[in-house]
Amino acid sequence: MKTKNVKLKTLLLWIIQTSLVVFFCTACGGGGAPAVTPPLIGTQPVNLSVYVGRTANFSVVASGTAPLSYQWKRDGIDIPGATTANYVLTNAQLLDNGSIWTVVVSNKAGSVTSAAATLKVSTPIPGISLFAGRLPGLDGQGAAASFSDPSGITVDLAGNIYVADFANHTIRKITPSGFVTTLAGTAANSGFADGQGSAASFSYPEGICVDVNGNLYVIDSGLNTIRKITPSGFVTTIRRREGVGEAADGSVSDARFHYSTGIAVDASGNLYLGDETTIRKISPSGYVSILAGTPDVTGSADGQGAAARFKEPRGIALDSNGNIYVADTGNRSIRKISPTGYVTTLAGNADIIGASDGIGASASFSHPIGIAVDVSGNVFVSDRGAIRKINNSGVVSTFAGTSDVFGSKDGLGAAASFSHLGPVALDASGNLYVSDSNNTIRKISTSGFVTTLAGTVKIDDDVDGEGGGSAVFGLRAFGD
């Protein structure tokens, strides 16, 4: 009987120990295999447009339980060896035009197929898109370089100039001596891809600014995104939400924008953007807020924050005191926003279109786009064919060029001429740089003397070139 009791106690002890082991293993997560999350595509491949002989770079960003596998397809057929998140087609040809590209992302939980991306391949047309037999986007010294509708412009602390080369889909760098290189992107290769230098791609980059550390921030207008470029040329995306919609605040990944063109950055790393009827602020942590104006409500009223009204604010700049200056293009006026968000009109009148110099509202503007502020508080504005200057007393004068006289002449003050000016930027010495729609970058000294720093002047739009071709058609108009 005693032996039987001992065996019974031993059996009970074993059952208790086994139960405890099972309990603790279950509590610590060992009771079963971890959950497997199926793949989800966060960033879809985008349509690309390239010239014959150029590179097309397709990419996808996906999440889910690792490992993820990839299989790219062309027109529904698997591409052998195309099993990474990126696929690069080198030396694109006309037979590739219209091809459809997708990628299947898989893991143990399943698979998902991306949206389709279409590749457009075209041949540069002689006499239209070449500069004297040269493709736009060439690097080189001064006039040996070429641009295609240069837009945003900014200058770093070392005096290097950076240009958002809109129709070339690239970011260009110009040394103080005028030597041009391509920092990121590939000329005529429109798309969306992060990466180093030419491995990255853009779709109509427009606004650009540089912070104190030499990082560039770019409004990539074709995809309604904000890109960041390190001084070494590595491109990342800090905001991507394709399309437009009702403007809303929130994290940089969730906030919606209408259409932004101008961008500026302060010493603390806050970004400021003009967005249709508002001025938006993005903090270094990525929170987006509306500093002034109201979404979808146009007007020209001054006031605090949401009580103020804007109409197509384009250029944006900051002074050393944290004041923000806006080229309110649709209102033909220059606005000033205090650090607390109070908006006033510095110069111009929403009801008057013109080019008259004067004080405050007695001055008139035609189509102000670019804006920059020097260390003394003088404000410079690009207005069609002229550079206007607003001093600390609010007096507006014409610094260089003539508002309604167009051309490409260098010279002093009114003797110089421009062809529909775009954004402007200042260096530490007070020299002004401006993108000119004749595909050049112009430099204006502190005395008002204008020279052409880089680029080749395009032939007038209604003139055909001959031979290799020299006529170039512009893609955008800066004027009314």
Side-chain angles (χ1 to χ4, degrees):
M1 187 68 177
K2 184 176 181 180
T3 302
K4 185 176 181 180
N5 288 336
V6 170
K7 290 182 177 180
L8 182 59
K9 289 180 180 179
T10 302
L11 177 60
L12 289 172
L13 180 61
W14 180 84
I15 292 173
I16 293 170
Q17 290 175 335
T18 302
S19 298
L20 288 172
V21 169
V22 171
F23 172 78
F24 283 114
C25 286
T26 301
C28 70
V36 178
T37 304
L40 176 67
I41 295 177
T43 301
Q44 300 282 355
V46 298
N47 298 334
L48 299 180
S49 177
V50 300
Y51 284 141
V52 169
R54 300 295 179 120
T55 296
N57 190 336
F58 295 96
S59 65
V60 68
V61 177
S63 60
T65 302
L68 296 176
S69 63
Y70 302 84
Q71 178 58 64
W72 287 90
K73 296 173 179 286
R74 171 178 170 154
D75 297 328
I77 301 174
D78 289 355
I79 304 172
T83 55
T84 65
N86 289 71
Y87 180 73
V88 178
L89 174 68
T90 59
N91 193 27
Q93 298 297 312
L94 289 178
L95 59 85
D96 299 312
N97 184 45
S99 54
I100 305 298
W101 303 77
T102 57
V103 60
V104 178
V105 185
S106 307
N107 66 6
K108 292 181 179 180
S111 62
V112 61
T113 301
S114 72
T118 301
L119 176 62
K120 179 181 178 181
V121 183
S122 58
T123 302
I125 303 172
I128 294 181
S129 58
L130 299 179
F131 288 90
R134 297 175 296 139
L135 280 171
L138 293 179
D139 294 336
Q141 180 66 43
S146 59
F147 299 86
S148 185
D149 205 4
S151 183
I153 190 167
T154 191
V155 185
D156 67 16
L157 295 177
N160 298 297
I161 302 104
Y162 299 87
V163 178
D165 200 356
F166 184 82
N168 272 327
H169 313 292
T170 55
I171 305 302
R172 316 293 292 279
K173 179 180 179 179
I174 310 174
T175 65
S177 64
F179 193 87
V180 181
T181 56
T182 300
L183 178 67
T186 301
N189 183 10
S190 171
F192 174 80
D194 291 338
Q196 180 66 44
S198 60
S201 57
F202 300 84
S203 180
Y204 302 105
E206 195 156 0
I208 190 170
C209 63
V210 62
D211 67 18
V212 293
N213 297 313
N215 298 298
L216 296 169
Y217 299 88
V218 178
I219 295 177
D220 200 2
S221 65
L223 294 170
N224 198 26
T225 62
I226 300 173
R227 318 289 292 275
K228 179 180 179 179
I229 310 174
T230 66
S232 65
F234 193 85
V235 180
T236 55
T237 300
I238 64 173
R239 177 200 173 269
R240 184 183 189 194
R241 187 156 186 159
E242 292 184 43
V244 297
E246 182 180 351
D249 293 344
S251 70
V252 73
S253 59
D254 296 329
R256 288 190 177 274
F257 294 77
H258 279 295
Y259 182 73
S260 303
T261 57
I263 187 170
V265 60
D266 65 20
S268 299
N270 297 293
L271 294 173
Y272 300 86
L273 301 87
D275 188 29
E276 286 289 339
T277 60
T278 63
I279 304 301
R280 313 290 293 277
K281 177 181 179 179
I282 305 176
S283 71
S285 64
Y287 188 82
V288 181
S289 59
I290 296 176
L291 179 66
T294 299
D296 301 313
V297 181
T298 62
S300 58
D302 293 339
Q304 179 65 43
R309 298 288 181 263
F310 298 88
K311 185 179 180 182
E312 299 176 17
R314 297 286 298 273
I316 190 165
L318 297 98
D319 67 16
S320 57
N321 296 317
N323 297 297
I324 302 162
Y325 297 82
V326 178
D328 196 359
T329 306
N331 281 322
R332 303 179 180 91
S333 58
I334 306 305
R335 317 292 293 278
K336 180 179 179 180
I337 310 174
S338 71
T340 60
Y342 194 86
V343 181
T344 55
T345 299
L346 181 65
N349 190 314
D351 297 324
I352 299 175
I353 179 172
S356 299
D357 293 336
I359 300 175
S362 67
S364 59
F365 295 85
S366 177
H367 199 75
I369 289 183
I371 191 167
V373 187
D374 68 15
V375 293
S376 299
N378 297 299
V379 179
F380 296 87
V381 180
S382 59
D383 187 24
R384 287 172 65 86
I387 297 294
R388 315 289 293 281
K389 179 181 178 180
I390 311 171
N391 68 15
N392 287 319
S393 301
V395 177
V396 180
S397 59
T398 301
F399 187 60
T402 304
S403 184
D404 292 316
V405 176
F406 305 105
S408 57
K409 293 181 180 178
D410 292 339
L412 181 63
S417 60
F418 303 91
S419 176
H420 290 104
L421 294 172
V424 297
L426 284 159
D427 66 17
S429 300
N431 297 299
L432 192 69
Y433 301 87
V434 60
S435 296
D436 198 341
S437 65
N438 62 16
N439 290 329
T440 60
I441 305 302
R442 314 292 291 277
K443 178 180 179 180
I444 309 168
S445 71
T446 55
S447 64
F449 195 88
V450 180
T451 55
T452 300
L453 178 67
T456 303
V457 176
K458 72 176 182 181
I459 304 300
D460 191 82
D461 289 351
D462 61 358
V463 179
D464 292 335
E466 61 181 64
S470 57
V472 178
F473 283 61
L475 297 181
R476 295 179 301 155
F478 288 125
D480 287 340

